[in-house]
Amino acid sequence: MHFNADGEEPDVKPRRSNGVSRRALLRGAGVALALPWLESLAPRSAGAEGAAAPRRFLPIYLPNGAHEFWTPQLAGSGNAWQLSSILEPFGGTLKQKLNVLTGLENGSVFNADASSHVEPSHGRLAGAWLTCVDAVAVRQALAVEEANGISADQVVAQHGSFRGQTPFDSLQLGLSTPLGSCDGEPCSSSRSVSWADARQPMYKLVDPREVFDLLVGGAHAPDPDGTAAVEAQKRRARNQSVLDAVLENAARTRARLGKADQQRMDEFLGAVRAVERRVSSSIANAACPLPARYAGPRIEQSATAPRQTIPEGYDKGLHADAMSDLIALAFECDLTRVISHMLEDERSEFTYDNVAERAFTADSSSPKGGPCPEYHVAQHAGGDVFATITWWNVGKVADLCRKLDAIEEAPGVTVLDNTVVLLGGGMQGGTHAADQLPVVLAGGGNLGMKNDQHLLLDKRPLRDLYVTLMNDVLGVEVTEFGQNQTGAPLARVSELLR
Amino acid sequence: MKAVLGGYRPGRIFKVGFVGLCLAACGGGVRRHDVAQDGPGGSGSEQTGGTTNVAHAGTSAGGEAVAPVDSRDELKLRLLTQAEYTNALGDLLGPLNTPLELPEDISVAGFVSVGAAQIAVNAPAVALYESASRAAAAEVFADRARWQKLVGCQPEADLSDGCVTSFVQSFGKRAYRRDLDESEVERWVQVGREAAQLSNADQGLAAVISGVLQSMNFLYRVESKKLDGTSGRLKYDGTSMATRLAFLLSGHPPSDALLAAAAAGQLDTAEGVRTAAAPLLNASGAVDRMAEFFSEVSQAEIVSVVSKSPDLFPSFNASLQSSMLQATQLFIKNIVLAPRADVRSFFDSDQTFVDATLAPLYGVSPPASGFMQLTLGPETARAGILGQAAVLAGHSQPDHNSPTRRGVFILQNLLCQTPPAPPDGVFTAVPIEPNQTTRQKLAMHLASPTCSACHQLVDPLGFALEHFDSIGQYRATENGLPIDATGTLDGVAFDGEASLGSALGQNSRALSCMLSNYYRDANGRVDAEADAALIGSLEQTLASKGYVWRDLVAEFVTSDAFRSAPVTRDEPGKQ
């Protein structure tokens, strides 16, 4: 059981700990409030930002690798390269905001003899995708059941230029249903790409309603005369007053503490302030267009359950679109600047019977047959069914990119231009290899990135990409990240930069 | 009971502070880059917090003198554990039906109480505390009779009268476990009035309750101690002692009577503490709290979060895991902590418990219902805590035994010895050899000079348990080959688990370690060299009490080991 916006109306649901409070924070959104007597308690942190463009990071995980028709036939920039059949959904104006990177490899999970074909692979490669460490080795070293490394999105979210700038330092979202095996690894490896540190997987939210509540706090409830909104505003004011007193109390006691405890108290104070910031921020003031509330069946997520049935009436397309709307909302309203998203859990066994099989060549595809089968079977069967599922997932990411590109946040600059969308997978495809990984970047044009390129890289470590994006695009200075046991030195992927 | 725990992760994180890096660090072969625990920007506070203190926990502190430099009044904050928080809420507000989701406990150096002194609260944790406090207050204020009884007076609608002030004073005192100063009272009264103005008196009072429960003075145990000229140690004041006693002996915050005794100066002397402790020790919850200590020492709860290969161990499921854990808890409570029991039975008792689920694994016929006590014959080769299926299964890999891992557990948790750090970057896979026993496979650890320094300490202890497979089931042979479970502990030869248990029961390091461990659990910190003499005298006390644990505890709380702390080096950079 957990509680809604203000902990006052119990709402029976299985509880879970996903790293963020699921308290709906922003109750009253979408309603213009005129309550002058509340002004003394009005948000104080709003508008603290300078004029600099927000920098955003959106890694999106493609499970089960990509079909070989992912890779465009020609490399180069502009008209020198064309989209492959699977990347075709990025056509039109989006291509001009795209980078396709071929030849990246995740050496952190290579075998001891430096070969790239890893077994068992699914959980292990997914776990390493955004962390670039081998979870197996970390677990052995720490003598624990479950571990990984901090993930790239969390390095960004925890950095001083991101942390505390928005109501949520980061969000973890996904479309998993979940069906699939964890392939001998702790399920955190295949079901959570974000890790706050070596011990803390940040499980994602999968039900769009839950994400909606988190972001906009129950503003969807019918409220014809506005009383619910007024009550919500009062509650928010009360909660803020309480948090103020908690802060003062801690600050007073802090002065009596030893230095080490003062530092711990500073973390406590910072944490309380972060919560207060969420309470005080309000997208009601930001005139954010709220998306329609997801109407599909409830989607349960579990880190450990081996398989669950797909709820009656579930529609993967609807699920994907609802989540994309919420991602766009969160960015547009600056509720967060870092989101990790998973199109499915690794080794997903979801049956894509919502998608009709198509016939693929390297350059194009056309309608072919009936519904697609189960994802993991399709992956290893290869051929058109695997290509179709990959293509469909690419399409959903392309749709999301279009949404972001339709929101102008400065003259001639869209949300996508200030966002690095990274679509990638932990393995190449049906082969379970951790080299020649599928990687597409979209956006970032206003953050110093070149666009409209297909880059052929020669066995470059995946971590080079992350370190480049952090340092040169997102403004997060790091000198190292993850591991790479091929011995390749850390280097920037300068081809991406203007 | 602990607060409701998440479905995603165990409620308790086993952050084994002794970074047992050397385990399995020697497989030969490819050199790896060092294992990154944290990437750049990763918060190191938890990690380093766990390991820096623990560096002192080994056989010696590396010859480094502990320099007493600053004797000023020093505080050390411990966050309430989940159990302490839940108990405190129940004591303050009465029984709550609302399940509360709380931040997880983290075990450092083997104990959540040590972790509680080191973890920093982050935003998600604050949000959980916030939700929990509001949910608890909401439950109370859903029942008018209930909140009026709690508040004890009838306030004006805007809380403008003195009712809220007296409530803040009395409720605040029980929550903070000390008197509030005037400005603290005023601040919470102000919160109540602001909220009442927005809504009504109920909401105002609920805001006070939820706010006080989010305050660091409730969430943390703020203790105060001063240099005592006679002992040269930092002695806790009476109010701190009330809280220390109550949480250690009952898991609950101090009662009003105990706080009053503290205010009257009765907890300033050993005899006064003895008098105050007596009712707590006689209460029914005292044994439960002591059982938690032994449960933490044995890390029995790990069994509920491990997984096993379904092909090799099809019987290993949630029901068996639960039976294993319950059996170990019964063993601790009913054998080790039986009223006149010798605590060394922890290592060598021939008693155990099984239910119908667990009986096949122990090779006995199942009881008709529930758990039955069982005498383990010599043919079972099992005894004591190390013969418990929960412990054996909890310290094994999913599909094979790891004598190294089991050995590290014995060395660290039962002998308080930390294996030395491993060599840098060694690849860790152990080759698969179907025609060898695990012991034969691991022989290379002992042959290689790089590996043997560490592995000779741990592997032989683990070999003693080789007659029990990855789920704690007896096996006569491995891969059709005879099992060699012989070894020596401090010169005493053993052959198999029961025999190692007997050796541990008579081993002075094991007994000393048990007392060090209790010191850690009770004080929320790892013992320093300066505590060695005190722990040594506790060993004598335990012997003089016939090894009855509860009698030791009664003496422990009156000793300087609990009533004071050593003067330690202040934080780095503050000489």
Side-chain angles (χ1 to χ4, degrees):
Chain A
M1 176 180 292
H2 74 248
F3 292 85
N4 76 343
D6 302 281
E8 290 162 2
E9 296 155 30
D11 172 15
V12 181
K13 277 186 208 169
R15 59 150 301 286
R16 64 191 57 163
S17 84
N18 51 30
V20 290
S21 157
R22 268 137 312 93
R23 191 164 53 91
L25 301 156
L26 305 166
R27 194 174 256 259
V31 182
L33 295 167
L35 298 172
W37 42 278
L38 280 175
E39 266 181 8
S40 64
L41 296 166
R44 281 156 300 165
S45 58
E49 301 313 304
R55 296 166 188 265
R56 306 188 184 91
F57 188 37
L58 173 59
I60 301 177
Y61 186 69
L62 175 75
N64 297 352
H67 185 277
E68 63 196 53
F69 288 156
W70 169 287
T71 310
Q73 306 233 62
L74 300 172
S77 62
N79 290 330
W81 76 288
Q82 293 305 321
L83 291 166
S84 64
S85 55
I86 285 186
L87 297 178
E88 161 275 317
F90 283 113
T93 52
L94 265 189
K95 175 175 178 284
Q96 293 158 24
K97 301 194 172 185
L98 217 63
N99 283 288
V100 179
L101 284 71
T102 300
L104 287 166
E105 60 185 28
N106 194 344
S108 68
V109 277
F110 280 12
N111 299 304
D113 63 359
S115 59
S116 61
H117 180 96
V118 177
E119 292 296 343
S121 60
H122 282 280
R124 199 163 171 197
L125 299 187
W129 177 63
L130 205 49
T131 65
C132 292
V133 300
D134 182 3
V136 176
V138 182
R139 290 201 304 271
Q140 283 182 350
L142 298 177
V144 294
E145 295 288 327
E146 178 177 84
N148 197 337
I150 185 172
S151 53
D153 61 316
Q154 290 307 304
V155 172
V156 173
Q158 293 174 17
H159 185 262
S161 60
F162 281 79
R163 189 173 196 163
Q165 297 297 312
T166 54
F168 300 92
D169 287 339
S170 67
L171 291 176
Q172 291 72 43
L173 307 176
L175 303 180
S176 79
T177 5
L179 289 173
S181 131
C182 299
D183 215 17
E185 289 287 293
C187 288
S188 51
S189 285
S190 39
R191 296 181 182 178
S192 177
V193 293
S194 291
W195 286 69
D197 57 42
R199 297 298 315 279
Q200 211 182 324
M202 301 176 78
Y203 286 108
K204 59 203 180 295
L205 297 173
V206 295
D207 192 318
R209 261 177 305 249
E210 209 169 333
V211 180
F212 188 103
D213 287 348
L214 184 69
L215 296 179
V216 305
H220 56 283
D223 187 19
D225 58 359
T227 49
V230 172
E231 282 308 308
Q233 190 75 343
K234 287 179 183 176
R235 267 199 292 272
R236 222 170 62 202
R238 272 204 314 271
N239 296 341
Q240 197 172 334
S241 151
V242 163
L243 288 171
D244 285 346
V246 167
L247 281 169
E248 282 174 36
N249 175 273
R252 274 168 53 91
T253 308
R254 181 190 180 281
R256 299 169 48 212
L257 303 176
K259 199 170 175 185
D261 278 338
Q262 284 193 349
Q263 282 166 1
R264 292 175 68 217
M265 210 31 50
D266 289 342
E267 300 206 38
F268 177 82
L269 285 164
V272 176
R273 283 193 197 102
V275 170
E276 192 206 24
R277 200 165 53 238
R278 294 180 196 174
V279 171
S280 60
S281 69
S282 171
I283 66 172
N285 302 327
C288 288
L290 294 188
R293 199 165 152 78
Y294 173 67
R298 165 143 189 84
I299 305 158
E300 296 286 348
Q301 163 72 311
S302 163
T304 50
R307 80 183 17 256
Q308 285 173 261
T309 51
I310 303 297
E312 192 72 24
Y314 175 76
D315 180 334
K316 177 69 86 189
L318 197 65
H319 190 185
D321 294 344
M323 210 58 105
S324 293
D325 284 344
L326 291 163
I327 290 170
L329 171 78
F331 281 165
E332 178 175 10
C333 301
D334 208 19
L335 300 172
T336 188
R337 295 175 188 173
V338 178
I339 300 177
S340 73
H341 186 38
M342 296 181 76
L343 294 166
E344 257 289 338
D345 289 341
E346 182 54 48
R347 204 185 185 287
S348 161
E349 293 172 12
F350 179 75
T351 299
Y352 283 81
D353 53 11
N354 57 318
V355 183
E357 183 182 354
R358 296 171 71 83
F360 277 82
T361 66
D363 296 321
S364 65
S365 70
S366 55
K368 174 183 177 184
C372 283
E374 182 261 88
Y375 198 172
H376 183 238
V377 163
Q379 178 198 2
H380 291 299
D384 285 339
V385 284
F386 184 38
T388 303
I389 295 175
T390 314
W391 167 86
W392 186 85
N393 275 313
V394 165
K396 287 300 166 191
V397 175
D399 288 349
L400 169 58
C401 289
R402 281 200 185 82
K403 276 182 184 132
L404 299 179
D405 206 29
I407 308 166
E408 196 172 55
E409 57 183 353
V413 178
T414 69
V415 167
L416 183 64
D417 299 329
N418 287 326
T419 303
V420 179
V421 180
L422 163 65
L423 169 64
M427 65 176 67
Q428 193 188 108
T431 63
H432 290 182
D435 61 355
Q436 295 287 319
L437 297 172
V439 181
V440 163
L441 297 171
N446 196 40
L447 304 177
M449 282 178 67
K450 278 188 195 163
N451 280 131
D452 200 358
Q453 308 185 91
H454 173 210
L455 298 173
L456 279 186
L457 304 167
D458 183 21
K459 295 183 188 301
R460 291 290 294 274
L462 180 61
R463 66 171 183 168
D464 284 4
L465 172 63
Y466 296 144
V467 168
T468 306
L469 293 177
M470 289 178 204
N471 280 287
D472 302 322
V473 180
L474 297 167
V476 170
E477 201 175 306
V478 299
T479 52
E480 54 182 278
F481 176 75
Q483 305 165 287
N484 189 56
Q485 69 176 41
T486 63
L490 191 67
R492 303 282 172 83
V493 187
S494 55
E495 299 92 325
L496 282 174
L497 307 172
R498 276 206 299 273
Chain B
M1 274 307 293
K2 288 180 193 67
V4 178
L5 303 177
Y8 273 161
R9 286 197 286 154
R12 185 165 289 186
I13 297 173
F14 295 95
K15 186 186 288 288
V16 182
F18 319 90
V19 181
L21 283 173
C22 87
L23 90 161
C26 292
V30 173
R31 194 174 165 80
R32 283 196 176 207
H33 294 239
D34 40 337
V35 176
Q37 299 180 22
D38 260 3
S43 94
S45 66
E46 287 188 8
Q47 245 88 26
T48 52
T51 48
T52 36
N53 270 2
V54 169
H56 294 280
T59 41
S60 80
E64 185 188 6
V66 178
V69 291
D70 191 344
S71 61
R72 79 200 160 81
D73 191 344
E74 183 215 322
L75 301 165
K76 188 70 186 173
L77 291 174
R78 260 194 278 177
L79 193 64
L80 297 187
T81 64
Q82 286 190 343
E84 288 167 349
Y85 179 98
T86 310
N87 289 340
L89 240 59
D91 290 358
L92 283 164
L93 302 174
L96 292 166
N97 295 318
T98 312
L100 304 175
E101 184 184 345
L102 299 173
E104 284 150 336
D105 290 337
I106 293 183
S107 176
V108 170
F111 297 97
V112 294
S113 69
V114 180
Q118 305 199 350
I119 52 180
V121 166
N122 58 14
V126 165
L128 289 179
Y129 284 132
E130 188 191 27
S131 308
S133 73
R134 282 211 232 108
E139 184 180 328
V140 170
F141 282 86
D143 177 348
R144 186 163 188 85
R146 181 172 178 178
W147 74 253
Q148 289 189 329
K149 182 160 175 262
L150 177 73
V151 173
C153 49
Q154 181 58 50
E156 299 287 339
D158 59 358
L159 299 187
S160 58
D161 59 327
C163 176
V164 64
T165 309
S166 64
F167 174 65
V168 165
Q169 283 166 336
S170 64
F171 183 80
K173 177 179 182 177
R174 288 162 63 221
Y176 283 15
R177 306 170 290 271
R178 63 164 171 80
D179 287 318
L180 274 59
D181 69 30
E182 214 166 281
S183 67
E184 286 172 330
V185 173
E186 265 174 35
R187 191 65 184 82
W188 290 119
V189 167
Q190 184 196 344
V191 165
R193 287 181 181 151
E194 279 174 9
Q197 270 175 10
L198 289 172
S199 310
N200 52 36
D202 306 22
Q203 295 291 0
L205 293 166
V208 169
I209 289 180
S210 123
V212 167
L213 296 180
Q214 292 172 63
S215 155
M216 62 81 58
N217 280 291
F218 169 71
L219 294 173
Y220 288 88
R221 293 166 58 169
V222 184
E223 294 177 333
S224 161
K225 47 193 187 293
K226 289 208 164 57
L227 186 65
D228 173 48
T230 323
S231 66
R233 292 171 65 91
L234 298 167
K235 187 168 171 288
Y236 292 102
D237 69 13
T239 311
S240 301
M241 277 306 294
T243 295
R244 290 168 63 74
L245 265 184
F247 277 127
L248 177 66
L249 299 180
S250 69
H252 286 254
S255 63
D256 294 345
L258 193 55
L259 284 173
Q266 288 168 21
L267 300 185
D268 296 342
T269 66
E271 279 318 300
V273 170
R274 184 186 304 280
T275 308
L280 289 166
L281 282 164
N282 291 329
S284 59
V287 171
D288 294 332
R289 180 63 188 84
M290 290 177 211
E292 271 175 38
F293 163 69
F294 286 99
S295 183
E296 281 197 85
V297 169
S298 60
Q299 295 189 343
E301 285 189 26
I302 289 184
V303 76
S304 53
V305 297
V306 294
S307 55
K308 301 293 175 188
S309 156
D311 297 333
L312 295 176
F313 304 108
S315 68
F316 193 83
N317 55 28
S319 153
L320 183 62
Q321 288 167 286
S322 162
S323 292
M324 285 178 171
L325 180 57
Q326 284 184 66
T328 299
Q329 287 165 340
L330 287 168
F331 167 76
I332 289 169
K333 203 169 159 183
N334 294 298
I335 306 299
V336 181
L337 293 172
R340 303 308 308 161
D342 184 327
V343 72
R344 294 174 296 182
S345 58
F346 182 64
F347 299 113
D348 60 15
S349 170
D350 63 357
Q351 299 296 303
T352 193
F353 290 82
V354 295
D355 66 356
T357 310
L358 191 54
L361 191 138
Y362 277 72
V364 296
S365 44
S369 67
F371 279 86
M372 69 171 179
Q373 191 170 336
L374 182 72
T375 300
L376 295 161
E379 76 285 355
T380 67
R382 234 184 248 276
I385 192 70
L386 293 176
Q388 291 285 315
V391 173
L392 290 162
H395 294 98
S396 299
Q397 302 293 352
D399 55 354
H400 64 274
N401 279 11
S402 171
T404 304
R405 184 167 160 183
R406 286 173 171 177
V408 167
F409 161 68
I410 296 171
L411 194 72
Q412 291 181 160
N413 286 51
L414 304 185
L415 294 167
C416 294
Q417 183 177 349
T418 305
D424 278 342
V426 188
F427 188 60
T428 61
V430 173
I432 293 167
E433 282 292 343
N435 299 321
Q436 287 187 327
T437 64
T438 306
R439 183 165 191 159
Q440 288 166 334
K441 272 181 271 186
L442 295 182
M444 65 177 171
H445 284 162
L446 303 178
S448 147
T450 334
C451 306
S452 69
C454 175
H455 281 276
Q456 69 180 358
L457 289 171
V458 294
D459 289 2
L461 292 168
F463 292 146
L465 277 46
E466 274 296 276
H467 273 299
F468 298 98
D469 67 16
S470 179
I471 62 167
Q473 190 157 235
Y474 183 81
R475 58 179 187 181
T477 58
E478 182 190 7
N479 293 331
L481 299 166
I483 286 171
D484 177 3
T486 60
T488 60
L489 172 64
D490 297 340
V492 177
F494 58 78
D495 181 1
E497 188 275 316
S499 156
L500 173 61
S502 300
L504 283 166
Q506 300 304 316
N507 185 288
S508 63
R509 284 203 289 152
L511 213 57
S512 168
C513 176
M514 188 183 282
L515 293 161
S516 283
N517 276 332
Y518 193 60
Y519 178 99
R520 294 169 188 182
D521 186 26
N523 290 308
R525 68 165 174 275
V526 174
D527 43 310
E529 279 197 331
D531 296 308
L534 283 171
I535 289 172
S537 75
L538 288 171
E539 288 173 57
Q540 293 168 16
T541 307
L542 180 60
S544 76
K545 295 290 176 187
Y547 296 96
V548 176
W549 188 255
R550 56 183 73 192
D551 293 352
L552 178 274
V553 171
E555 295 302 320
F556 173 82
V557 295
T558 68
S559 74
D560 276 352
F562 186 63
R563 293 176 53 230
S564 67
V567 177
T568 54
R569 175 178 25 207
D570 203 12
E571 300 79 53
K574 184 172 188 322
Q575 285 289 71

